[in-house]
Amino acid sequence: MGSQLPLAARGRDGRHLHGCPLCEAMCGLEVHVENGRVTRIKGNPDDAWSRGHICPKGASLAALHDDPDRIRRPMIKTGGTWREVSWDEAFRRCTELLAPVIEKYGIGAVSAYTGNPLGHTFSLSRYAGVLMGMSGIPSTYSPGTIDQWPKNLSSHLMYGSWWSFPIPDLERTDMFVIMGANPAASQGSMMSAPNVVGLIDDIRKRGKVIVIDPVRTATAARADEWLPITPGTDAALLLAVTHVLFDEDLVRTGHLAPHLDGLDRLRALAGDWSPERVADTCGIDASRIRELARELAAAPRAVVYGRIGLCNQEFGSLASWLVDVVNILTGHFDTPGGAMFPRPAVWTLTTETLPGLEDGAAGFGRWHTRVRGAKEVLGQAPVSCLAEEIATPGEGQIKALITVAGNPVLSTPGGHKLDEVLPGLEAMIAVDIFLNETTRHADVILPGLSPLEQPHHDDLLLGFAINSFANYSAPVFYPEDPDRPEEWEILIRLTGLCTGTPAEDVDVAAIDDGFFDYMAFTRGLDGAALREQYDTGGPERMLDLTLRTGPFGDRYGENPGGVTLEALKAQPDGINFGPMVPRIAEVLRTADAKIRLAPEYLIDDLPRLAARITRAPDDLVLVSRRHLRSNNSWLHNMPPLMKGKSRCTLQIHSADADRRGLRSGDVVTVTSESGSIDVPVEITDDIKPGVVSMPHGWGHAKAGTRLRVANASPGVNTNILSPPAFVDEPSGNGALNGIPVTVSAATALHRNHEMEKQ
Ligand SMILES: Nc1nc2c(c(=O)[nH]1)N[C@H]1C(S)=C(S)[C@@H](COP(=O)(O)OP(=O)(O)OC[C@H]3O[C@@H](n4cnc5c(=O)[nH]c(N)nc54)[C@H](O)[C@@H]3O)O[C@H]1N2
Ligand SMILES: Nc1nc2c(c(=O)[nH]1)N[C@H]1C(S)=C(S)[C@@H](COP(=O)(O)OP(=O)(O)OC[C@H]3O[C@@H](n4cnc5c(=O)[nH]c(N)nc54)[C@H](O)[C@@H]3O)O[C@H]1N2
Ligand code: SF4
Ligand SMILES: [Mo]
């Protein structure tokens, strides 16, 4: 074991440049250090991508680094008591716990949950691929199935590539239609852009911005128009737009025409979906829907964009597909100012494939879960199945779990059930930096480093970025223990352990070399020969390989002047290779290299949408929201982000509040089919009547956690209200929006606390 990092210039006083790993905006930060401590963090004005942008979360990296609650040394729990141990002892304990489970029940009894921060570090994201691809663990879980799975599915079906997402070309579009996203809070998702709100303001100056959302969000408030839609009905709206495009002869496919398959099929089915048929259900006038289609068709540069509100809903796959359909039919696809496929400077696990995870092998319904019978989609079952797969005895029961950078107890539907069953596992290993609601159940915690102690490079997110861009930053500080393993080494040891080698004896370098050789091989290169050029392995060697063989790389000398990791390191402000370029022919991986406009698998879901149109309206439905100063469940322990009044409230329209005799601040009981919580209300007119909204990631103050700041303002866990089996059928993705609920003045104020503090 040992650090592979260059030792120069770390922890020194002065100005350090560092990439922010907290969200998809990928800001370049300036970290000022005095006397070994961070005194100030600001945006780097010279950053080739973000040009000085920063948000309060980025500035809180200092608080994260200094947080006394952050786990710095491995910990083992025995007899209910935690103690810090050496890395060797921690790995030995992993072996003691996991080896007998594998021996007794087989590797099928082991599963893993890999969480969101994985997408933000090149150490974890690359080597999670090793864990998932090489450990033999048959199925793993991730928040992908409560996030972008419908988009993965629609891209797989339309383009033959489940990670190729068309991204709105914000810098060059004149009309931007935002559906189910709130970039003013999230800073953009699957649309990586620097200072996204500034870019949206610029579009308004040039043209028009429309927000389609049940909530008048901060993004909607600064748009030209807010169209309050009934949650879960976006697919119907988009089908009606498609109907009008065909009906009024507005379809212009331009250069895409030779690449399209299924246009007639699409025209035929859209015929049934007139604006008049869907208007009442969507809550948007038929005339406005018609006009929207005409405006999109008439605009020289326009783009429709849908994000989490379109994915995490009952018709997520249909809506994800139809966003692309509308962009294609209006000629705003693979062309500047429309939706375009980024050209990432590095190829990553999402642009390339791992053994067992390749597109050819991707599909749906090849197996079903043991307990609920849920179908697998693209290799994963809905994450809401995890609790029942742990709790239900029988062949295939999960007996051991590895969590990597995830907090499913708070983040996943019915996570409180997971909370109940995790203690029943025979072994649980967490790779995490906090003792939180999930990791409190682990037997061993193997901590990662603070972001400021790690080198940073954004891999996965480059595939969603509006410019081709790369930036590498060195660590700001030395880790306190220079011999500690980095996270990629931890993942390799756990992978080795799953295949039968004691974790402490795993030959990390050999597995790393094998991974490198495989990745080189998929590029037509001889990994063993290439390795001779490198002194060390790990993620930096992999980054060099993937940069050099990427679109701007030097191809190990074949393309002189092309980029290498060394060249990138010499440009601490990063390198911007420019805007997206048309590249449809390169992207398409369907058998006949055509875009499938009308995939049968999705068309099969239309009867379910038709039934939605005639369904009686719900009295109240719940949607989710994000806040600029939260990050899912895990930044609530940072004092600078927790200032101000409590954000964990139920937003409700004044008419709905009046009907129930509620005043702002009253505590109400919110009940869904899956559970009940008590939460204070916030009355507003910035929400569609009949809709209420809650943030997720709250519900702290559980016994045995070490989150002093978060636990002082715990909030409640909205996912108690998310019914685990309420999913988008084609993808299995959780429908965390549009959940039918009732709201009434709370009768038993104490109950919540009992539920939350068990
Ligand atoms: N500050 C901050 N930034 C984050 C995160 C965070 O927690 N905090 N999380 C990160 C993660 S993991 C992700 S995936 C991204 C998500 O990024 P975004 O997709 O921008 O997510 P939200 O801000 O939650 O916006 C979702 C919007 O969808 C709306 N909505 C709900 N249901 C429907 C519906 O049926 N139809 C329509 N049209 N709209 C609907 C909601 O009202 C909400 O305004 O943000 C990332 N960035
Ligand atoms: N109701 C509702 N629920 C939702 C959503 C919603 O919109 N509504 N959104 C969903 C979405 S989009 C997502 S992505 C999920 C997120 O779900 P998760 O990924 O499970 O949850 P996070 O809160 O992001 O947890 C991140 C964990 O990683 C740890 N961590 C942070 N940085 C590092 C690191 O560098 N190394 C390691 N090893 N650990 C680290 C933190 O301590 C924390 O335990 O939540 C989902 N849940
Ligand atoms: S916008 Fe995102 S990347 Fe930029 S500072 Fe904030 S959290 Fe970090
Ligand atoms: Mo997410």
Side-chain angles (χ1 to χ4, degrees):
M1 286 182 281
S3 175
Q4 310 257 348
L5 310 173
L7 294 181
R10 272 191 270 148
R12 265 207 237 123
D13 283 4
R15 172 181 179 263
H16 299 253
L17 299 180
H18 204 75
C20 178
L22 295 177
C23 89
E24 298 175 47
M26 305 190 289
C27 296
L29 306 179
E30 270 183 33
V31 180
H32 294 264
V33 177
E34 273 172 45
N35 300 322
R37 299 209 38 151
V38 178
T39 49
R40 192 160 66 110
I41 297 184
K42 63 193 242 336
N44 170 16
D46 300 321
D47 188 90
W49 162 261
S50 60
R51 302 266 168 226
H53 184 66
I54 186 172
C55 85
K57 287 197 303 301
S60 79
L61 283 175
L64 175 59
H65 184 75
D66 293 335
D67 190 339
D69 289 341
R70 183 168 58 81
I71 301 175
R72 289 164 169 79
R73 276 171 280 280
M75 308 209 302
I76 288 181
K77 186 168 66 187
T78 35
T81 309
W82 286 104
R83 69 193 162 88
E84 286 187 356
V85 296
S86 68
W87 281 95
D88 285 338
E89 190 177 346
F91 284 125
R92 276 201 304 276
R93 182 68 185 142
C94 292
T95 307
E96 259 170 42
L97 286 160
L98 209 59
V101 172
I102 298 172
E103 198 178 302
K104 196 161 157 200
Y105 310 101
I107 189 72
V110 183
S111 192
Y113 174 91
T114 52
N116 170 276
L118 226 84
H120 298 265
T121 103
F122 75 126
S123 182
L124 277 180
S125 62
R126 303 229 164 204
Y127 288 80
V130 174
L131 181 70
M132 292 190 270
M134 293 165 71
S135 63
I137 295 176
S139 62
T140 62
Y141 296 85
S142 82
T145 55
I146 40 172
D147 191 335
Q148 81 297 331
W149 225 241
K151 201 73 201 170
N152 291 123
L153 179 66
S154 69
S155 281
H156 168 69
L157 293 170
M158 296 178 79
Y159 319 117
S161 170
W162 50 307
W163 284 103
S164 288
F165 301 136
I167 304 299
D169 183 10
L170 293 180
E171 286 172 321
R172 292 178 290 186
T173 199
D174 299 331
M175 177 177 176
F176 189 32
V177 180
I178 305 175
M179 304 181 73
N182 182 15
S186 68
Q187 299 296 302
S189 178
M190 279 162 48
M191 173 182 74
S192 285
N195 186 10
V196 63
V197 170
L199 288 173
I200 292 172
D201 287 346
D202 290 345
I203 299 171
R204 252 197 97 177
K205 283 178 212 147
R206 293 195 297 275
K208 186 168 192 180
V209 176
I210 300 174
V211 172
I212 303 179
D213 195 302
V215 182
R216 189 167 181 272
T217 58
T219 308
R222 59 203 298 157
D224 294 281
E225 189 178 4
W226 169 46
L227 294 174
I229 191 168
T230 309
T233 66
D234 304 83
L237 175 87
L238 290 162
L239 266 176
V241 169
T242 305
H243 173 100
V244 177
L245 293 173
F246 281 115
D247 195 40
E248 301 190 3
D249 197 16
L250 299 171
V251 173
R252 300 286 177 270
T253 54
H255 78 290
L256 289 176
H259 298 287
L260 297 181
D261 164 71
L263 194 64
D264 292 337
R265 180 92 170 95
L266 186 66
R267 181 189 289 115
L269 66 89
D272 295 337
W273 292 86
S274 69
E276 290 71 20
R277 179 177 175 204
V278 307
D280 284 352
T281 308
C282 296
I284 299 176
D285 288 346
S287 59
R288 184 66 195 96
I289 300 174
R290 276 185 191 282
E291 195 48 38
L292 180 62
R294 292 173 193 145
E295 281 178 281
L296 283 167
R301 293 179 171 213
V303 63
V304 182
Y305 159 72
R307 195 45 287 261
I308 201 96
L310 259 67
C311 284
N312 284 351
Q313 57 142 293
E314 211 180 337
F315 299 99
S317 294
L318 290 178
S320 296
W321 161 53
L322 289 161
V323 164
D324 289 7
V325 162
V326 168
N327 286 327
I328 292 169
L329 295 184
T330 50
H332 303 312
F333 196 84
D334 192 43
T335 184
M340 303 185 78
F341 292 101
R343 192 171 43 149
V346 295
W347 45 281
T348 71
L349 295 183
T350 55
T351 49
E352 295 303 303
T353 45
L354 285 174
L357 299 173
E358 50 279 273
D359 270 310
F364 22 83
R366 291 162 302 177
W367 46 270
H368 289 78
T369 60
R370 193 174 58 100
V371 181
R372 197 188 303 171
K375 68 169 173 273
E376 155 272 343
V377 176
L378 305 175
Q380 286 194 21
V383 65
S384 61
C385 295
L386 182 56
E388 66 207 27
E389 292 296 329
I390 292 172
T392 312
E395 178 75 27
Q397 181 181 12
I398 296 174
K399 297 283 188 180
L401 183 69
I402 299 172
T403 66
V404 185
N407 192 5
V409 164
L410 294 191
S411 293
T412 64
H416 58 302
K417 300 235 174 71
L418 195 60
D419 197 35
E420 283 165 20
V421 305
L422 287 176
L425 288 168
E426 291 182 21
M428 179 172 162
I429 298 168
V431 182
D432 208 287
I433 53 177
F434 282 102
L435 185 51
N436 63 20
E437 297 74 17
T438 298
T439 60
R440 70 181 178 136
H441 296 297
D443 303 294
V444 183
I445 301 183
L446 305 168
L449 291 158
S450 134
L452 299 182
E453 293 166 329
Q454 303 187 43
H456 182 75
H457 179 267
D458 280 291
D459 274 350
L460 299 190
L461 305 177
L462 299 181
F464 318 141
I466 64 165
N467 287 179
S468 298
F469 159 77
N471 200 352
Y472 168 92
S473 41
V476 176
F477 293 110
Y478 293 104
E480 284 169 27
D481 165 11
D483 288 328
R484 54 166 294 151
E486 290 172 37
E487 293 195 284
W488 64 274
E489 295 189 49
I490 297 174
L491 295 187
I492 285 187
R493 283 186 188 278
L494 295 177
T495 304
L497 174 56
C498 288
T499 56
T501 312
E504 60 280 18
D505 296 338
V506 168
D507 186 343
V508 172
I511 293 184
D512 184 40
D513 287 350
F515 182 35
F516 181 88
D517 291 355
Y518 172 79
M519 296 292 267
F521 170 76
T522 60
R523 287 324 243 193
L525 296 171
D526 176 356
L530 280 185
R531 277 194 275 115
E532 288 176 13
Q533 303 184 17
Y534 295 92
D535 295 335
T536 54
E540 297 216 7
R541 180 174 67 180
M542 193 65 81
L543 176 56
D544 191 49
L545 169 75
T546 52
L547 260 176
R548 296 176 82 167
T549 52
F552 311 100
D554 81 334
R555 285 206 69 86
Y556 290 94
E558 260 175 47
N559 176 26
V563 75
T564 63
L565 180 55
E566 201 184 346
L568 187 61
K569 284 182 177 178
Q571 305 271 348
D573 295 320
I575 306 177
N576 194 331
F577 300 95
M580 295 182 282
V581 293
R583 54 184 294 258
I584 188 70
E586 212 181 308
V587 168
L588 289 176
R589 294 205 202 139
T590 46
D592 55 359
K594 292 204 175 203
I595 297 175
R596 300 248 177 286
L597 267 180
E600 289 302 326
Y601 182 66
L602 296 179
I603 293 173
D604 287 347
D605 197 34
L606 287 175
R608 204 169 58 94
L609 184 65
R612 171 69 186 81
I613 301 293
T614 48
R615 191 164 90 192
D618 295 297
D619 185 30
L620 271 187
V621 294
L622 174 70
V623 297
S624 290
R625 70 172 186 268
R626 281 176 167 69
H627 192 280
L628 183 59
R629 283 183 289 124
S630 284
N631 205 15
N632 299 317
S633 74
W634 77 277
L635 285 181
H636 296 151
N637 211 48
M638 304 306 120
L641 299 178
M642 292 293 283
K643 289 182 195 142
K645 57 183 192 303
S646 164
R647 308 191 297 262
C648 187
T649 59
L650 182 86
Q651 290 176 346
I652 187 167
H653 190 272
S654 56
D656 292 319
D658 286 349
R659 209 164 304 130
R660 290 166 180 78
L662 302 173
R663 284 168 312 176
S664 257
D666 283 356
V667 174
V668 291
T669 301
V670 191
T671 306
S672 76
E673 138 197 343
S674 67
S676 207
I677 58 173
D678 288 355
V679 59
V681 290
E682 185 182 333
I683 297 174
T684 170
D685 285 343
D686 288 338
I687 193 165
K688 188 177 171 64
V691 180
V692 289
S693 155
M694 281 272 298
H696 71 284
W698 297 89
H700 304 294
K702 299 252 184 215
T705 57
R706 195 169 88 192
L707 294 164
R708 273 164 282 192
V709 179
N711 289 348
S713 315
V716 283
N717 179 3
T718 186
N719 279 319
I720 291 172
L721 301 173
S722 309
F726 187 39
V727 296
D728 163 53
E729 290 288 339
S731 68
N733 196 73
L736 306 176
N737 293 291
I739 300 165
V741 290
T742 59
V743 171
S744 56
T747 44
L749 284 183
H750 59 281
R751 191 185 49 194
N752 216 24
H753 299 279
E754 275 175 12
M755 265 174 61
E756 286 301 302
K757 285 199 174 159
Q758 4 117 1

